[in-house]
Amino acid sequence: MKHLLKLLDLSKEEITELLDLADRLKAETKAGVEHHILKGKTLGMIFEKSSTRTRVSFETGMYQLGGHALFLSSRDLQIGRGEPMEDTARVLSRYLDGIMIRTFAQEEVETLARVGSIPIINGLTDFCHPCQVLADLQTVREYKGRIEGLNMCYIGDGNNMANSLIVGFLKMGAHVSIACPKAYQPDAQVLSFTEQYPGKFVMTESPEEAAKDADVIFTDVWASMGQEEEKAVREKAFRGYQINAELLAKAHLGCMVQHCLPAHRGEEITADVFESHADQIFDEAENRLHAQKAVMVAVMADKKDW
């Protein structure tokens, strides 16, 4: 694996290998076993979108792996003043051993990988959120013991989270049901991808239909970063697309609830459902650290050093 740009690029075997590595690194961390696999290496972290979990987990993970992380906001870089991404890629490739970027356009991530000469990790774009969904897959596998054959449901906006959840869970053998308003469906490229999995993907405008017999239900905020001006319109469009006790009654007994955070209680999820599933949700948040460490090792270290 040379980069992590989007889950569409990975095979089931590559995803499984990352999850197995994440589990191992997590177990070693809990046992106090140091694993300085990236000793002496430096990761540049470009943030054009702010973050809590992405920044802290990557920075902590790089430290635990024996390396160093540099926080680079758009204000710190010349890209904030109009320098082409191609030139930034060429320069940073001469200083760093890898780049994680959290930005708007997927094309910026692809450009870094195409023009630069070091590994690129997608920390989030408007198109996808691969690091988050690797942590989601790790968490579901921890709780359920498997992913193959499970019923995964997503309720809400057909955004970057929905795109990556669809791809990740279908590739790992789950059945996927999505409920979102007609005007807020997932990306056309992702919907085209689902055609490779006949009988395993359902998209509906009915949250109740999507949640039927679910083993795990995901949701996300109705208005993501950069969509604040659409908040009133989106609140109207997504009314009824909420994870609540009535919806959970449609799912299998013991259904997991997952949220990538931050959560807006009373909107996409009720406070009581959130709190009753808080352990699962915050285990998922913790797994960002372990899954991303696996990604950094996979793209920045020689396999013999794993």
Side-chain angles (χ1 to χ4, degrees), residues 3 12 19-21 58-59 65 99 121 136 153 171 182 203 217 232 245 253 283 290-291 297 306:
H3 307 287
K12 178 180 181 179
L19 298 181
D20 290 345
L21 178 57
F58 267 107
E59 200 161 322
L65 291 167
I99 294 172
I121 299 170
D136 296 336
C153 166
K171 284 197 173 196
K182 192 170 184 179
M203 187 166 67
I217 298 180
L253 187 65
D283 281 344
H290 310 299
V297 168
W306 295 12

Side-chain angles (χ1 to χ4, degrees), residues 4 33 39 45 57 69 93 95 98 105 117 136 141 151 170-171 173 193 196 200 213 232 239 255 284 286 290 295:
L4 178 64
V33 177
K39 183 178 180 180
M45 306 187 302
S57 55
S93 291
Y95 301 150
S117 56
D136 296 336
R141 198 170 74 159
N151 295 326
L170 283 178
K171 284 197 173 196
F193 162 82
Q196 302 173 38
K200 289 203 165 186
D213 297 330
R239 195 168 295 134
C255 177
E284 171 196 39
E286 178 191 334
H290 310 299
V295 171

